[in-house]
Amino acid sequence: MTAIAKSVRRSALGLGLFAIVTGGTIALTQVLTAERIAQQAARAEAKALFEIIPESQHTNDLLRDTVLLPPSDRLATPGPVTAWVARENGRTVGLILPAVAPDGYSGDIRLLVGIDPEGQVLGVRVTSHRETPGLGDRIETKKSDWIRSFDGRSLGDPRPNRWNVKKNGGVFDQFTGATITPRAVVKAVQKTLVYFRQNRSEIRKILNEPPDTRGNPLTPDVIAGQQPEAEHS
């Protein structure tokens, strides 16, 4: 073998070894990064759950007490819905449902919505989003208290046609320079309440609770959509 051939062979082996090491490093980094992201998401979710229903308000293990509820396009989540149940001495005091606002300015806004057995909002928290920093990110509790404006609300409070931002005739504040983001969250919370109302009988059955004999019919205006507008988030 000539010196040139040996040199080419050594170079090829070196490049091959470099490619193997680089590929392995990238793959390992991706695995470790994905694991860290999953852990961070789980921590954020757990934190949000206990902000919506604090430990002082239930006696069960909220993180482990989950039920599967019927799928629905209203929540914009695929497949059956995994909901967290808060119980106090065996009595259900609240349900926390995952929901997605698919029409945020920069994509999906993932939420957790806490609802009491009467259909009243216990709290709402955003678990992930990509909204504009300084504008749409005011849906986070560390940026503003806006998300707390849902506390105590229900399908009848405000009236169905007032479930919108003030710019569109609703009762919820919009952000300066950002209307799409809060409007998307308002719409998602309202749809979650509609889902809860429509599936109340099934939910009570899953929770092994007696049927609700009062009845809660939905009128068309309760489930009516809201008109979108093309403007900045």
Side-chain angles (χ1 to χ4, degrees):
M1 183 180 292
T2 65
I4 294 176
K6 289 180 180 180
S7 176
V8 170
R9 183 179 180 183
R10 282 197 299 270
S11 297
L13 289 173
L15 289 172
L17 182 61
F18 175 77
I20 292 172
V21 171
T22 301
T25 301
I26 292 173
L28 179 61
T29 300
Q30 288 177 334
V31 170
L32 294 176
T33 301
E35 185 176 344
R36 282 198 299 272
I37 292 173
Q39 290 174 347
Q40 290 172 354
R43 282 196 294 269
E45 189 175 77
K47 181 176 181 291
L49 289 170
F50 289 117
E51 285 183 0
I52 294 171
I53 306 180
E55 291 186 80
S56 61
Q57 296 178 13
H58 61 88
T59 55
N60 65 323
D61 185 348
L62 180 61
L63 296 179
R64 296 180 181 275
D65 196 343
T66 60
V67 293
L68 283 179
L69 303 181
S72 173
D73 291 340
R74 292 196 181 281
L75 303 182
T77 56
V81 179
T82 299
W84 292 263
V85 186
R87 309 176 199 263
E88 186 173 28
N89 300 321
R91 179 178 63 89
T92 301
V93 296
L95 204 64
I96 301 179
L97 302 170
V100 178
D103 46 358
Y105 181 73
S106 300
D108 290 350
I109 301 172
R110 298 190 176 277
L111 311 164
L112 291 176
V113 181
I115 306 174
D116 75 7
E118 304 303 317
Q120 193 171 74
V121 176
L122 294 170
V124 179
R125 291 295 183 273
V126 174
T127 57
S128 70
H129 72 87
R130 293 178 295 173
E131 300 302 277
T132 309
L135 292 174
D137 64 351
R138 290 181 60 196
I139 53 178
E140 300 177 27
T141 53
K142 63 183 179 182
K143 299 297 177 66
S144 81
D145 286 333
W146 179 84
I147 202 74
R148 301 181 194 276
S149 61
F150 294 103
D151 295 2
R153 299 290 190 177
S154 65
L155 283 179
D157 176 23
R159 298 190 309 274
N161 62 348
R162 299 276 281 164
W163 270 90
N164 210 321
V165 294
K166 290 179 178 178
K167 182 176 181 178
N168 299 132
V171 302
F172 298 94
D173 290 333
Q174 61 265 359
F175 308 149
T176 302
T179 300
I180 290 176
T181 302
R183 186 171 55 219
V185 174
V186 170
K187 187 189 300 183
V189 174
Q190 184 189 32
K191 286 183 176 180
T192 305
L193 288 172
V194 171
Y195 168 86
F196 179 82
R197 175 78 64 86
Q198 289 181 325
N199 292 277
R200 177 174 281 178
S201 296
E202 182 67 17
I203 290 171
R204 294 182 71 88
K205 187 184 302 182
I206 291 171
L207 296 175
N208 294 316
E209 295 185 353
D212 185 351
T213 57
R214 293 167 302 173
N216 288 284
L218 284 174
T219 56
D221 56 345
V222 169
I223 58 177
Q226 300 169 355
Q227 295 300 317
E229 290 184 9
E231 59 179 288
H232 191 272
S233 155

